[in-house]
Amino acid sequence: MNTRQQKLEAFDRLLTIMDELREQCPWDKKQTMKTLRHLTIEETYELGDAILDDDLEEVKKELGDVLLHIVFYSKIGSETNDFDIADVCNEICEKLINRHPHIYGDVEVSSEEDVKRNWENIKLKEGKGKKSVLEGVPNSLPALVKASRIQEKVAGVGFDWEKPEQVWEKVQEELAELQEEVRINDQDKMESEFGDVMFSMVNYARFLNISPENALERTNKKFIGRFQYLEAKAKELGKDMKDMTLSEMDVFWDEAKLVEK
């Protein structure tokens, strides 16, 4: 692996290239934080895909793309004299030191949960004018991720179940309420209760140390792989899937499951 000096030289090289691109490239010169925003989100999702695929070579490439965006935003910030990359680095360093008093102070912890609880309490104190721990959850987060963050944050200040069994009982309770609304056929209440079921399942996943986002994406990828196998087999037989029976499709679906193993 590279030495600390080589790492610093590589980062300096990136900063130099960013300066040159900002000065000389027509596209780079035009960019603003707002024009970069959607590209940053896209790069973050691509990094997430690479991580889930366990493709470390791709993870390396996507990390570079994300790092480029961080350097790009910092360069734009320096042009308006608001902040530069050193300010960004120092800000996160101070934050990490402040939020780890068990490493850089005299606070004692006995578990990961103690660390999380301290983290959320310190964040709340840091917030300028924030009155709720939930103000730190971005409004634009996807609903599934937002549910996870909400639950993590309230758990960090002690608002939580004690055992997974209690959460599972809550899931069953919410399922029963959903089934009742389905029986009554009240569309608005069905949607509300369905949301409650999902929120409870996300909470249960947290107690099982499962990322609901990762779990669902794994299932998405699994389904896509099986369905594309089915499509390929239908094409080999010269059949249109619309003309196939469910039983015929199930044969290839089961084959796809065996191929996975």
Side-chain angles (χ1 to χ4, degrees):
M1 298 301 290
N2 293 305
T3 65
R4 174 62 67 92
Q5 183 59 36
Q6 288 171 321
K7 293 173 185 176
L8 292 173
E9 288 173 358
F11 191 60
D12 181 67
R13 183 186 180 201
L14 177 58
L15 294 177
T16 299
I17 291 172
M18 185 72 257
D19 289 344
E20 293 169 346
L21 293 178
R22 190 67 173 166
E23 291 172 6
Q24 302 174 35
C25 175
W27 186 87
D28 289 281
K29 286 166 70 173
K30 285 179 58 179
Q31 300 315 305
T32 66
M33 290 190 184
K34 288 183 179 178
T35 62
L36 289 173
R37 178 181 177 274
H38 74 282
L39 297 174
T40 307
I41 293 170
E42 182 180 324
E43 295 296 354
T44 304
Y45 276 107
E46 288 177 0
L47 171 60
D49 285 343
I51 292 170
L52 285 180
D53 291 340
D54 199 25
D55 186 339
L56 296 185
E57 184 63 28
E58 198 63 24
V59 168
K60 180 181 69 175
K61 293 177 182 177
E62 296 301 339
L63 281 171
D65 290 340
V66 173
L67 179 58
L68 169 62
H69 280 244
I70 294 170
V71 169
F72 210 148
Y73 287 118
S74 300
K75 176 62 178 175
I76 295 171
S78 71
E79 292 168 353
T80 56
N81 293 316
D82 289 301
F83 62 88
D84 62 18
I85 192 66
D87 296 319
V88 172
C89 291
N90 285 324
E91 183 85 14
I92 188 60
C93 287
E94 292 302 321
K95 181 184 292 184
L96 289 171
I97 290 170
N98 188 49
R99 293 186 186 175
H100 289 80
H102 54 290
I103 303 296
Y104 301 103
D106 55 6
V107 172
E108 294 185 5
V109 295
S110 58
S111 68
E112 178 187 353
E113 292 307 313
D114 287 346
V115 175
K116 289 181 179 179
R117 193 173 297 110
N118 285 342
W119 181 281
E120 293 300 342
N121 285 329
I122 294 169
K123 280 186 71 174
L124 194 57
K125 292 175 183 176
E126 289 174 347
K128 297 177 182 179
K130 288 184 178 179
K131 298 180 180 178
S132 170
V133 69
L134 295 179
E135 288 181 42
V137 180
N139 291 326
S140 57
L141 278 180
L144 191 63
V145 179
K146 186 187 288 187
S148 293
R149 293 299 293 135
I150 288 171
Q151 292 166 8
E152 288 170 1
K153 283 186 171 293
V154 299
V157 293
F159 187 75
D160 203 5
W161 300 93
E162 294 178 353
K163 301 176 182 177
E165 293 80 5
Q166 296 171 312
V167 189
W168 180 242
E169 288 176 6
K170 184 63 176 176
V171 171
Q172 293 176 310
E173 176 187 320
E174 297 295 353
L175 278 168
E177 291 177 5
L178 171 61
Q179 290 174 330
E180 177 61 18
E181 296 304 335
V182 170
R183 186 186 66 79
I184 297 171
N185 197 29
D186 185 317
Q187 191 65 39
D188 182 66
K189 289 184 178 179
M190 277 193 288
E191 181 178 288
S192 177
E193 293 299 339
F194 191 87
D196 290 348
V197 170
M198 293 184 70
F199 193 85
S200 297
M201 282 299 296
V202 169
N203 216 358
Y204 189 51
R206 181 171 59 86
F207 271 79
L208 299 179
N209 292 318
I210 292 171
S211 163
E213 179 73 17
N214 290 352
L216 183 56
E217 184 57 18
R218 283 182 64 180
T219 297
N220 288 340
K221 288 179 178 292
K222 184 164 49 180
F223 184 92
I224 289 170
R226 291 175 184 176
F227 190 79
Q228 289 177 340
Y229 181 90
L230 170 57
E231 287 178 314
K233 286 298 181 180
K235 188 174 181 179
E236 284 178 15
L237 296 174
K239 289 189 174 184
D240 189 322
M241 285 185 58
K242 294 179 181 177
D243 300 325
M244 295 174 68
T245 66
L246 187 58
S247 295
E248 288 177 304
M249 288 190 281
D250 276 343
V251 171
F252 297 122
W253 186 267
D254 290 337
E255 280 185 18
K257 290 165 70 174
L258 290 174
V259 170
E260 287 174 4
K261 296 178 181 178

